[in-house]
């Protein structure tokens, strides 16, 4: 049963009537271009086949009633009261931030009952938060009978994450969750917001996600710190953002401490790798793309400092299998500090590769990894209930 069918049934069970709308939005996987979005760089994400879905119907009141299957909890937002952020870490901040964004933009949502379900793993680095925000924004478009420009909609979701969830994230996650296209990967220029869609439909090549099933607590604080370090590096180099910097410029600069220099080096080289990776996709040069993925992981691990032993273990195991065993390349994906790694693999070898990674990862860490493959999937949409 798909998550859309599940929320439809669960809504009927929970509220005793049928839903009117079902909005859904996917998680995302970033092929390459990590920690580049908030540096005005390039990213190369795709929407995945795992989705967050919200079934809803009007309730003739001033209340938005949200039942989350994931949190096993019901929360109420009173639209006649100011929509204040909840305590840090609370799931309600994501939908509430989106509702607040709609209200601030002059739209007037009426009360409704909703039930939220998801197949995107929480905290797995596949952007469960953007999926929830984008699904909520799509639902609110239906409730308010408006259609937002997709870029404005993505910015509204990003703003919700900044001001309600307290995470100073970039534009990538809501952007791809809203705009995602089946069988295509997005080369997004985060400076100009120009989008280039690249086909990714070779049945012989698969993207495998490997969830380490660990989530280190330092993630949120470390993300904000890295972002500040990048801004400091750009300032010292006299450029608006690290997108405008180059390795020669960095080499000539003095007065940067090693950590800041490492951060800048990662961002500068990762932006270049992302542009090269897009070219590999155009040429279907999987071997070269795999090498770029490997190099990205090394850079994230050593220069940017956002890997962790579990992610490194997955990458090491995948690399030991290598191109001869059908693994082109492997790297952490998303913010880091746990969550998922992704491997670009030969489809016919998928079962053997999954088995080897699963067994060896369990042996090394004592943790069972979860794995799934996905083709690029469609972005946020409203379905008839
Ligand atoms: C998180 C953020 C994104 C991006 C990635 C790292 O997923 O939400 O904006 O910065 O980390 O690439």
């Amino acid at each position: 049963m798909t998550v859309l069918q599940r929320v439809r049934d669960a809504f009927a069970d929970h509220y005793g009537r049928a839903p009117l709308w079902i909005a859904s939005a996917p998680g995302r996987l970033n092929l390459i271009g990590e920690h580049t979005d908030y540096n005005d760089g390039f990213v190369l994400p795709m929407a995945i086949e795992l989705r967050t879905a919200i079934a809803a119907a009007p309730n003739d009141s001033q209340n938005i009633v949200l039942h989350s299957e994931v949190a096993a909890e019901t929360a109420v937002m009173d639209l006649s009261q100011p929509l204040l952020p909840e305590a840090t870490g609370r799931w309600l901040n994501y939908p509430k931030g989106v509702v607040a964004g709609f209200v601030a933009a002059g739209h007037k949502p009426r009360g409704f009952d909703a039930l939220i379900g998801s197949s995107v793993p929480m905290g797995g680095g596949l952007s469960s938060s953007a999926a929830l925000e984008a699904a909520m924004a799509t639902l609110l478009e239906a409730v308010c009978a408006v259609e937002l420009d997709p870029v404005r909609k993505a910015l509204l979701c990003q703003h919700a994450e900044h001001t309600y969830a307290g995470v100073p994230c970039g534009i990538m996650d809501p952007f791809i969750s809203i705009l995602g296209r089946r069988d295509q990967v997005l080369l997004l220029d985060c400076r100009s917001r120009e989008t280039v869609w690249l086909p990714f439909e070779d049945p012989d090549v698969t993207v495998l996600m490997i969830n380490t099933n660990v989530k280190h607590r330092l993630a949120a604080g470390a993300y904000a710190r890295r972002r500040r370090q990048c801004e400091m590096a750009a300032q010292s180099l006299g450029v608006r953002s690290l997108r405008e910097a180059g390795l020669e410029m960095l080499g000539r600069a003095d007065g940067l401490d090693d950590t800041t220099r490492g951060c800048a080096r990662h961002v500068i080289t990762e932006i270049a790798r992302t542009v090269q990776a897009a070219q590999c996709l155009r040429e279907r040069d999987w071997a070269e793309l795999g090498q770029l993925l490997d190099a990205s992981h090394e850079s994230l691990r050593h220069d940017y400092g956002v890997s962790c032993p579990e992610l490194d273990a997955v990458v090491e195991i995948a690399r030991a299998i290598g191109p001869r065993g059908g693994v082109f390349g492997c790297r952490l994906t998303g913010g880091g500090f746990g969550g998922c790694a992704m491997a670009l693999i030969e489809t016919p070898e998928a079962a053997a590769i999954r088995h080897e990674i699963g067994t060896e990862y369990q042996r090394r860490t004592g943790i069972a990894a979860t794995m799934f493959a996905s083709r690029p999937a469609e972005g946020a949409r409203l379905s008839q209930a």
Side-chain angles (χ1 to χ4, degrees), residues 169-383:
C169 64
I171 186 69
M172 166 169 70
D173 302 348
F175 217 95
I176 188 66
S177 184
I178 289 165
L179 286 154
R181 294 186 185 173
R182 196 181 298 265
D183 289 331
Q184 295 186 52
V185 168
L186 170 64
L187 176 67
L188 173 64
D189 181 337
C190 300
R191 182 171 61 187
S192 65
R193 304 208 182 106
E194 188 197 340
T195 52
V196 176
W197 291 95
L198 300 164
F200 185 70
E201 50 195 355
D202 185 339
D204 293 334
V205 177
T206 294
V207 171
L208 180 67
M209 284 158 270
I210 306 118
N211 193 343
T212 59
N213 285 324
V214 297
K215 174 90 195 141
H216 292 289
R217 293 220 334 275
L218 25 101
Y223 185 90
R225 246 189 337 275
R226 294 294 183 292
R227 189 170 178 155
R228 275 199 305 276
Q229 238 146 4
C230 290
E231 283 158 11
M232 270 159 46
Q235 212 175 27
S236 311
L237 296 173
V239 288
R240 246 192 80 225
S241 71
L242 289 176
R243 168 75 177 275
E244 266 101 73
L247 282 182
E248 327 69 55
M249 188 189 265
L250 186 62
R252 283 198 306 271
D254 36 43
L256 289 184
D257 63 78
D258 285 353
T259 320
T260 312
R261 188 176 292 278
C263 281
R265 191 166 47 228
H266 164 71
V267 173
I268 293 168
T269 56
E270 183 79 351
I271 291 173
R273 279 188 290 273
T274 308
V275 175
Q276 283 172 306
Q279 192 52 31
C280 293
L281 270 179
R282 290 186 186 99
E283 292 166 5
R284 297 178 170 224
D285 188 344
W286 310 122
E288 178 68 21
L289 179 55
Q291 287 184 8
L292 292 166
L293 300 181
D294 288 349
S296 168
H297 186 79
E298 290 314 300
S299 178
L300 286 160
R301 177 180 179 179
H302 297 294
D303 278 346
Y304 216 61
V306 292
S307 190
C308 64
E310 294 84 1
L311 282 165
D312 292 339
V314 171
V315 170
E316 239 178 78
I317 298 163
R319 268 191 213 157
I321 302 170
R324 290 165 124 222
V327 176
F328 294 111
C330 183
R331 64 176 207 90
L332 74 83
T333 183
F337 297 108
C340 282
M342 56 83 53
L344 188 73
I345 65 170
E346 285 184 42
T347 310
E349 304 302 327
I353 292 168
R354 278 175 184 245
H355 180 76
E356 174 64 16
I357 295 179
T359 321
E360 186 57 19
Y361 179 71
Q362 171 106 41
R363 194 187 67 76
R364 289 193 194 187
T365 62
I367 305 164
T370 336
M371 286 176 253
F372 28 86
S374 178
R375 312 303 305 175
E378 162 184 32
R381 67 182 150 89
L382 187 74
S383 318

Side-chain angles (χ1 to χ4, degrees), residues 126-137:
L126 300 176
S127 209
S128 51
S129 53
L132 176 53
E133 289 153 0
M136 191 66 189

Side-chain angles (χ1 to χ4, degrees), residues 28 30 33-38 169-173 223 334-335:
R28 65 97 187 89
N30 190 19
E34 220 64 87
H35 292 280
T36 51
D37 60 351
Y38 53 84
C169 64
I171 186 69
M172 166 169 70
D173 302 348
Y223 185 90

